Structure formats: C-alpha cells, structure tokens
C-alpha cells in the first residue's frame, strides 16, 4: 500500500484515470535496470526515479568526465572523476527517497549479465556501443525480459521495445553489426546536448507503460527522430523466425564474446602498445616514426601531436597502400580505442612495426604536454 507521503508525491499520477493508484503501486513493486548512466541513462534515471519505480539499478563502469556535462544532466563538476553509477544512485536517492537506487560500478559483460538482468523486471538500453547492445539484447532474450532500446547520434535518435509481447528483438532488426569504425561514436561524431533527453523520455514512457500495463508500446515499431527537422518517422518491425537468438530454432543459447562478434580487437599486447613517455623519448632521439591521427577533423582542430598525419579511421582502409611495410607507424586517437582498430587493420595487412598510443592524445596531454587542450 502507498504511504500518505507517497500519495501526496504521486498525486498527479493518481488523478489519471488510466493510471491511478493501481498503476502507481505497480511502479513501486517494479525493478528496472538501466544499462549505461551516460547521455540516455541520465534523464532515464531522473524520470524513472521521480515516477516512483521501486528498485532502480544503474550499471556503468565509467567515471564522470568534463565533456560528459554537456548532456549527462545527472552530474555536476563535483562528480568529475567519480564512478557514474555511484554518483547517479546518490542523486536519484536524493530526488526520491522512496526509490531503492542500486549502483553497479562495473561493465556489463558476458560473465555478469544474466545474473544481473535476471534480478530485474525490465531492462533499458542506454549504451553507446555495439558489443553491449548485442549483449544486452541476448541477455534479455535468454532471461525473458523486455528490452527498451534507444540510441543517439549527432542530431538523430531512435527508440523501440524489443522482446516484448511476441515482438522482435534487436537482432531481428540488426542481424549483424557494422564493420568496426564504420559508425562513429558520439565522441567522434558529436551529439546535440538536448537530443538524449528526447529519446530517453520516450524510453522512460515505454518502460512505465510496460510496467503498469497501460497504452500501446513500441514493440514491433522503430521510432526515428530528427532534431534538425523536428520530425518523427515510424518503421514497422517483425520478428524474424530465423533470428539466431529469438527465432523458432535459436542457435545462440548462451552469451558469447561480443567484442569478437563485433570485430573489436583484443586487448593490445605490450609489444603493440606504446606509452606516451616512450613515444616522446623515441621522437626526441630522432627516430623515424610516422604518427597517424585517426580522429575526426573537428577533434584535430582542438589539439594534435606535432608532425602527425591526419587520416580519419573511416578513410584509412582505402589509403593503406600509401605506406610500406618497412615503416614504423604509430596510430593515435582520443583515448586509444579507434587507434587500436587502426593498428589491427595494418597488422592484418602484414605490417610488422605498428603501434597504438596507449591512452590516446588524452594520455599524451596528461603525461607529456600538460598545456595541450583536452576535450
């Protein structure tokens, strides 16, 4: 039963004929897991905590950075350097003490996903990378949980509900991930700061409707939003009987290696990694190294290592023949992820002396050039 304090707090919900006291009690009895506490996870957490979801789990292994504050409205400058999940849970508990906000300061993985998701009624995908999206989808199908999906990029976003009420899952829509580096991340391509709020509000609405049993959900529909034209489009989706995870004869019956599935290079070995200090020393000694910046043009306008070539990652495969296999190549990006893919590309082409700058240009700025602008 709702307490008198809860009756007062949720009075605007209680006055809705379709919602009422029954809907609010269902919310209080529900358990929702938000995967990712970033751009989508921030407004998701705020709205679901305010709405009165009983248990709200937040799983994210990242810490707050200054560049997050442009869109991740859960955090302040005082949170920089702290785990997002922990700061998010503290903020949501302060917003609504009736909500049990539970932080999981870790990365969702094939080892922990089933046990974690199985403890919740519904999962909301607020992630920003393909391996975790496929992992979240597969874990939801295997545990029988609805998956409220959303994604954002630059000025566009999309949302749907997967694996609910007989509808399709994420793999039915996207059977295969794009090639590594083909789709830039928000860090690479940018994102309008207010865009996550729109998509997260749609996700929160869908979650509330599922949990309370009201309205029609986005199951079987993909809603696409364009902020520049302020327009929405809707695509009809169907469950694929041949889907490897939710189809009639599924071949995926356990979680897999999602980095490998998405073509993400394995963790670099010591031989293929180079620290900022080591790179700086070799440059100071006059060693003939070719530095290749694989970031986007706008990133290079902010900062760059002197003397480096600029070849964005997406254009790199077409230019591999410009280099000879006797050269020593060092790739760098913002923090080391894209440059790891570049190094793997050249290594697969039988280049022997290729390196990835560990930690990217952010590490270079921290350890070699403290006056360099950071972003």
């Amino acid at each position: 039963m709702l307490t008198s304090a809860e009756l007062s707090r949720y009075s605007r919900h209680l006055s809705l004929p379709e919602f009422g006291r029954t809907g609010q009690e269902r919310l209080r009895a529900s358990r929702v897991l938000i995967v990712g506490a970033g751009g989508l996870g921030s407004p998701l957490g705020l709205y679901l905590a305010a709405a009165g979801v009983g248990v709200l789990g937040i799983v994210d292994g990242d810490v707050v950075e200054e560049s997050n504050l442009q869109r991740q409205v859960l955090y302040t400058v005082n949170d920089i350097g702290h785990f997002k999940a922990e700061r998010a849970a503290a903020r949501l508990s302060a917003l609504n003490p009736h909500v049990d906000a539970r932080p999981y300061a870790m990365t969702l993985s094939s080892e922990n996903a089933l046990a974690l998701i199985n403890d919740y009624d519904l999962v909301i995908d607020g992630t920003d990378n393909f391996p975790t999206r496929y992992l979240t989808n597969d874990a939801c199908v295997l545990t029988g949980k609805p998956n409220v999906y959303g994604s954002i990029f630059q000025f566009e976003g999309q949302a749907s509900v997967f694996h609910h009420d007989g509808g399709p899952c994420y793999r039915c829509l996207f059977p295969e991930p794009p090639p590594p580096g083909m789709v830039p991340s928000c860090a690479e391509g940018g994102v309008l700061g207010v865009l996550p709020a729109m998509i997260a509000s749609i996700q929160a609405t869908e979650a509330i409707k599922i949990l309370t049993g009201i309205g029609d959900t986005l199951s079987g529909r993909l809603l696409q939003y364009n902020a520049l034209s302020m327009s929405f489009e809707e695509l009809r989706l169907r469950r694929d009987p041949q889907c490897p995870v939710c189809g009639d004869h599924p071949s995926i019956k356990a979680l897999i290696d999602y980095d490998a599935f998405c073509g993400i290079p394995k963790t670099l070995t010591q031989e293929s990694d180079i620290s900022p200090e080591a790179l700086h020393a070799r440059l100071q000694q006059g060693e003939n190294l070719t530095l290749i910046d694989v970031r986007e043009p706008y990133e290079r306008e902010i900062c760059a290592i002197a003397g480096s070539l600029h070849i964005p990652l997406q254009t790199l495969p077409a230019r591999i023949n410009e280099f000879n296999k006797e050269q020593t190549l060092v790739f760098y990006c913002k923090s080391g992820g894209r440059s790891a893919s570049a190094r793997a590309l050249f290594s697969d082409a039988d280049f022997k002396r290729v390196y990835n700058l560990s930690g990217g240009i952010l590490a270079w700025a921290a350890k070699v050039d403290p006056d360099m602008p950071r972003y």
Side-chain angles (χ1 to χ4, degrees), residues 11 81 118 130 232 241 281 331 347 356 366:
S11 60
N118 198 52
F130 288 103
F232 289 87
F331 299 96
S347 180
N356 175 60

Short mmCIF file of all heavy atoms in Angstrom, two decimals, residues 11 81 118 130 232 241 281 331 347 356 366:
data_model
loop_
_atom_site.label_atom_id
_atom_site.label_comp_id
_atom_site.label_asym_id
_atom_site.label_seq_id
_atom_site.Cartn_x
_atom_site.Cartn_y
_atom_site.Cartn_z
N SER A 11 0.46 12.39 -6.60
CA SER A 11 -0.95 12.74 -6.77
C SER A 11 -1.31 13.01 -8.23
O SER A 11 -2.44 12.73 -8.66
CB SER A 11 -1.29 13.97 -5.91
OG SER A 11 -0.50 15.09 -6.29
N GLY A 81 35.53 12.47 -12.15
CA GLY A 81 36.47 11.51 -11.60
C GLY A 81 35.83 10.43 -10.76
O GLY A 81 36.50 9.45 -10.40
N ASN A 118 18.61 -10.95 -14.63
CA ASN A 118 17.57 -11.86 -14.13
C ASN A 118 16.91 -11.34 -12.87
O ASN A 118 15.80 -11.76 -12.53
CB ASN A 118 18.18 -13.24 -13.88
CG ASN A 118 17.12 -14.31 -13.78
OD1 ASN A 118 16.26 -14.45 -14.64
ND2 ASN A 118 17.17 -15.08 -12.70
N PHE A 130 28.20 -1.12 -29.85
CA PHE A 130 27.51 -2.28 -30.40
C PHE A 130 27.71 -3.56 -29.58
O PHE A 130 26.75 -4.32 -29.40
CB PHE A 130 27.91 -2.49 -31.86
CG PHE A 130 27.35 -1.45 -32.77
CD1 PHE A 130 28.14 -0.43 -33.24
CD2 PHE A 130 26.01 -1.49 -33.14
CE1 PHE A 130 27.61 0.55 -34.07
CE2 PHE A 130 25.47 -0.52 -33.97
CZ PHE A 130 26.28 0.51 -34.44
N PHE A 232 9.36 13.04 -36.86
CA PHE A 232 9.37 11.64 -36.44
C PHE A 232 8.96 10.76 -37.62
O PHE A 232 8.09 11.14 -38.42
CB PHE A 232 8.38 11.39 -35.29
CG PHE A 232 8.79 11.99 -33.98
CD1 PHE A 232 8.46 13.30 -33.67
CD2 PHE A 232 9.51 11.24 -33.07
CE1 PHE A 232 8.83 13.85 -32.44
CE2 PHE A 232 9.88 11.77 -31.85
CZ PHE A 232 9.54 13.09 -31.54
N PRO A 241 11.70 -15.26 -37.82
CA PRO A 241 11.69 -16.66 -37.38
C PRO A 241 13.07 -17.31 -37.45
O PRO A 241 13.32 -18.30 -36.75
CB PRO A 241 10.72 -17.34 -38.37
CG PRO A 241 9.89 -16.23 -38.92
CD PRO A 241 10.79 -15.03 -38.97
N ALA A 281 60.10 9.92 -25.93
CA ALA A 281 61.54 9.68 -25.86
C ALA A 281 62.09 9.29 -27.23
O ALA A 281 63.16 9.76 -27.65
CB ALA A 281 61.85 8.60 -24.83
N PHE A 331 49.73 4.88 -34.35
CA PHE A 331 48.39 5.42 -34.50
C PHE A 331 47.92 6.00 -33.17
O PHE A 331 48.22 5.46 -32.11
CB PHE A 331 47.42 4.34 -34.95
CG PHE A 331 47.77 3.73 -36.28
CD1 PHE A 331 48.49 2.54 -36.36
CD2 PHE A 331 47.39 4.34 -37.46
CE1 PHE A 331 48.82 1.98 -37.57
CE2 PHE A 331 47.70 3.79 -38.69
CZ PHE A 331 48.43 2.60 -38.75
N SER A 347 48.14 -4.46 -38.97
CA SER A 347 48.75 -5.72 -38.57
C SER A 347 48.21 -6.87 -39.41
O SER A 347 48.97 -7.76 -39.83
CB SER A 347 48.49 -5.99 -37.08
OG SER A 347 49.06 -7.20 -36.67
N ASN A 356 50.05 1.31 -31.18
CA ASN A 356 48.92 2.11 -30.73
C ASN A 356 49.37 2.94 -29.53
O ASN A 356 49.96 2.41 -28.59
CB ASN A 356 47.75 1.21 -30.33
CG ASN A 356 46.60 2.01 -29.74
OD1 ASN A 356 46.04 2.87 -30.40
ND2 ASN A 356 46.25 1.71 -28.50
N ALA A 366 48.29 14.47 -20.64
CA ALA A 366 48.48 14.34 -19.20
C ALA A 366 49.93 14.07 -18.82
O ALA A 366 50.42 14.57 -17.80
CB ALA A 366 47.58 13.22 -18.66
#
